Amino acid sequence: MILLNPGPVTLSPRVRQALMGEDLCHREPEYAALQAIVRSELLSVYDLQDDRHAAVLLGGSGTAAVEAMIASLVPQGAGALVIENGVYGERMSRIAEAYGIPVRRLTLAWGAAIDVSQVERLLVEDASLRAVLMVHHETTTGRLNDVAAVAAVCKAQGVSLMLDAVSSFGAEAIDFDGWHLAAAAATANKCLHGVPGAAFVIARCDQLKANPGRGFYLNLSAWYQAQEAGGTPFTPPVQSLLALREALEEHQSQGGWIGRQALYRRRSQRIAVVLDRLGVSPLLGGDETSVVLRAWQLPVGMSYEFLHGALKQRGFVIYAGQGGLAASMFRISLMGDIGDNDLIRLEAALMAIFDVASRRAEVLPLVPRAPGI
Ligand SMILES: *Cc1c(COP(=O)(O)O)cnc(C)c1O
């Protein structure tokens, strides 16, 4: 079965094999060595140095890392402006509110581009907003948000910027210094091709030192201090970290984030050619979408359940639209160990399924949906 959902991903044989590594006690030097390598390799993905940035590892899924970042690094007493144009932006607001952080939401239609002049206006109007929280790749629609533009406004206003980079870390450009990011949160099992269980926040050291953090388990300050001393405050997901170490080596040997971006782009373009021939329109244009995942309009007359079921029978798992987009769209993610043969099989499967569907629908022909949202 090839997973075309946005994580967890189809594992490569070497990453799967790494799960069979030796048993480790997390209070022994063997674990400390593993943790140190993973932390430093995570910084290397974007050429960061450990005097300015730190990778803080956590047990949990991507949301745990996003929650830890928000709970720990939004300054005490400050409000946060949250930019929402999909499920994950909305989730950032709910997390901040759960910690009692005053939230100002900039709510946009799902998939809409961010208008930075609105961000600027809100920050100028309300000086209590000291942090901006946003999603880099909004997996709901595939939109790659323009972080550079928001970052320029944040820099000018002296406001810290925190990124949910869960579905972009390792495959899209993230300019930690140029964007002056306070932190970015991500996970092992998306573009890095590891297994679920390990998540992480990459933060500026000055931010980690300046903020005492909120909460208990997801308080980054505790994890950071323990990890800097070679330890860990709680039981870590040891096997996930063994797999992540292997996945990071594989990532580096395949050309790092630039190599992975190129790989996903090639996959995305191949699938776009086939779907275009079948009359399926993308939700967003090629310059607006990430390379990681693309959302497609279901033809009128074809249900998601039909397409999902027919593809699953042929060995592929696709992903539904969320919320209001569930009936009209499907998503194909390109992360994971997908071979050329798999892509050839996928192309053949799509053509066969659409052929059957259009013959079944002779009375009620399949009509391509108009592009756009
Ligand atoms: C996958 C994802 C998350 C986290 O989801 P988990 O199920 O907690 O791993 C957060 N943000 C974005 C943008 C995502 O794609």
Side-chain angles (χ1 to χ4, degrees), residues 313-328:
Q313 256 177 9
R314 291 165 171 84
F316 298 96
V317 174
I318 58 166
Y319 216 47
Q322 281 159 300
L325 299 175
S328 62

Side-chain angles (χ1 to χ4, degrees), residues 218-230:
L218 294 178
N219 190 328
L220 275 186
S221 172
W223 295 86
Y224 173 60
Q225 282 169 29
Q227 289 175 13
E228 286 293 293

Side-chain angles (χ1 to χ4, degrees), residues 346-359:
L346 175 63
E347 288 161 351
L350 284 167
M351 287 192 283
I353 291 165
F354 273 72
D355 187 47
V356 170
S358 58
R359 273 189 277 116

Side-chain angles (χ1 to χ4, degrees), residues 6-8 60-66 87-89 91-92 135-140 164-168 185 187 189-190 196 199 293 319 331 335:
S61 76
T63 304
V66 175
V87 168
Y88 297 99
R91 184 178 292 179
M92 290 182 103
V135 179
H136 186 201
H137 168 217
E138 183 44 93
T139 322
T140 313
D164 169 345
V166 176
S167 62
S168 57
T187 182
N189 62 282
K190 294 207 182 188
L293 168 144
Y319 216 47
R331 291 178 287 174
M335 295 179 253

